[in-house]
Amino acid sequence: MEDRTSPHSHQISGAEILIRCLQEEKVKFVFGYPGGAVLHIYDEIFKQDAFKHILVRHEQAAVHAADAFARATGEVGVALVTSGPGATNAITGIATAYMDSIPLVVISGQVPAPAIGMDAFQEVDMVGITRPCVKHNFLVKDVKDIAATIKKAFYIAATGRPGPVVVDIPKDITAHFAKFEYPASVEMRSYTPIIKGHSGQIKKAVKLLLEAKRPMIYTGGGVVLGNAAEELIQFARKLGYPVTNTLMGLGGYPSTDNQFLGMLGMHGTYEANMAMQNCDVLLAVGARFDDRVIGNPGHFFSKDRTIIHVDVDPSSISKRVKIDVPIVGDVKSVLTEMNELLIAETKTPDAGDIKSWWQQIDTWREKKSLVYKNSTEVIKPQYVIEKLWEVTKGDAYVTSDVGQHQMWAAQYYKFDKPRRWINSGGLGTMGVGLPYAMGCQLANPTAQVACITGEGSIQMNIQELSTCHQFRLPIKVILLNNRYLGMVRQWQEFFYENRYSESYMDSLPDFVKLAESYGHVGMNIVNPADVEGALKEAFDMKDRFVFMNFITDQTENVFPMVPNGKGLSEMILAGEE
């Protein structure tokens, strides 16, 4: 048996140092799955009660749940996986967090240091594998480096543009001994994120906005991650300008406010896309002009406009579109300075110009691009989301998988608060919904948490029904079951002449019996008249996990839609397909 007795009373093992570091960072939850390379760490977890370990059933779910905890709270999420397949199973979760700029620290076990590079049992090059999809990664080679490395990992993950950081720790390093000293602060010459924006550029931006005839405010996930929703609301209301959010930015500005034009982009509203395309001064805050937002860049620039871009990440500015007024800085800090300038400013926007602009926007709104034809015969998925919003009074934490149901949730659930909409935007990862709901529910134990999913996505991490039962998580799953990979089917209908290649879901399980086999409540809902009552019944069960299987219209598509390669004003609306 290995002798792990400290040779010096003031020294502790690397595994205990790691646990002490997590305690210093005031970590509340660690999501993980044990294995040989991390057993020393798990032994120390057993001896402490400062944080709770959540045993998932797959390492991908561990990272997704930690990711959702970070999205819902603004804190750094933490996941712990073993070496080899444990580490590779975590890659999808790491890449998902990286694409959406989510602060995570993922600790992976590694084979003993002398065995690295020797094709040891359960060895993979975790540093090499994750390099393209992390903000930074570390391989710890000395027990004396653990504390400083963990301090750096949390600092890098949470500052600047947030992101996941991987710390790979060989098993023998967790068994070695050293004195524990946790750094009070960290300084890295190679990493100095900019917080304060350039005051001259900010003044120039405010001047341009005040002179605008057709202004537009376009905001993304950076407003949510940067905790800048209040500053954005103050700024937009002071000016009276229209606001749109990206998929990741929903909740950054209240969806029920009249100045909000809805989400923009591929499945954005007609009025949001038309205003974005036809504005003369555009303020972009914490957004990156990605392909699903502006469509064809050439079409976007067919109209002349002045673009102001505020982002904490300098590499995001002028990456896809040319920016006229770049402002690198923390969005909360920049918007605060902009608000101060507005308060002190005597000049106001031209009332006539702004009135004319709103009249044009109201004309576009008359298209009613989100109206759908409801039915008394078959459940329409949009109707389920509308009723979910009503039953939860718009106050739920809503997680989503990826596909048609994700877009319907974004369109029809009106998010008035930030950090309530938890979904995979950049990577578009099927299977995130249920582990995301776990992270949200643990972060907010008394909150209503709804997981909107499809029959394809839910089966990718359905084993987490076991985790939900173990930890008594009263999540409500809203499965919009159309027996298809819905978004794939929609594209096949539009662009592949109805050749539905491998998009129909044969041999689906009995989801009610499956949920019940894990100890949960299951419901089948087939009739539209039963939708509202079933939702009320489910949410009245405050302490139970309820799996709701809504059998929905197989033919329903997501509208509006900007086809791939088209411009924002080249939308397909319902009835025009």
Side-chain angles (χ1 to χ4, degrees), residues 243-246 250 255 259-264 268-269 271-272 365:
V243 181
T244 185
N245 291 157
T246 66
L250 292 174
S255 294
Q259 286 176 234
F260 184 65
L261 306 191
M263 181 178 71
L264 83 163
T269 66
E271 55 267 31
R365 274 177 164 164

Side-chain angles (χ1 to χ4, degrees), residues 382-419:
Q382 303 96 319
Y383 178 71
V384 178
I385 305 299
E386 288 180 330
K387 287 301 173 183
L388 175 66
W389 181 75
E390 291 176 14
V391 168
T392 60
K393 298 180 173 58
D395 201 36
Y397 286 81
V398 178
T399 76
S400 168
D401 271 297
V402 171
Q404 286 181 316
H405 58 271
Q406 177 189 24
M407 294 301 108
W408 284 317
Q411 291 174 329
Y412 293 95
Y413 197 100
K414 301 178 182 69
F415 295 95
D416 280 345
K417 299 176 184 177
R419 300 193 181 276

Side-chain angles (χ1 to χ4, degrees), residues 155 159-161 192-203 226 309-314 317 326-341:
Y155 174 68
T159 55
R161 180 178 180 176
T192 53
I194 298 169
I195 302 299
K196 186 173 171 55
H198 188 282
S199 292
Q201 292 289 84
I202 294 172
K203 288 176 183 176
H309 191 183
V310 181
D311 204 289
V312 75
D313 179 8
I317 294 179
I327 303 173
V328 178
D330 174 77
V331 293
K332 188 181 185 76
S333 170
V334 172
L335 284 173
T336 297
E337 192 167 341
M338 283 184 162
N339 281 322
E340 290 170 353
L341 289 172

Side-chain angles (χ1 to χ4, degrees), residues 175 206 426 575:
V206 171

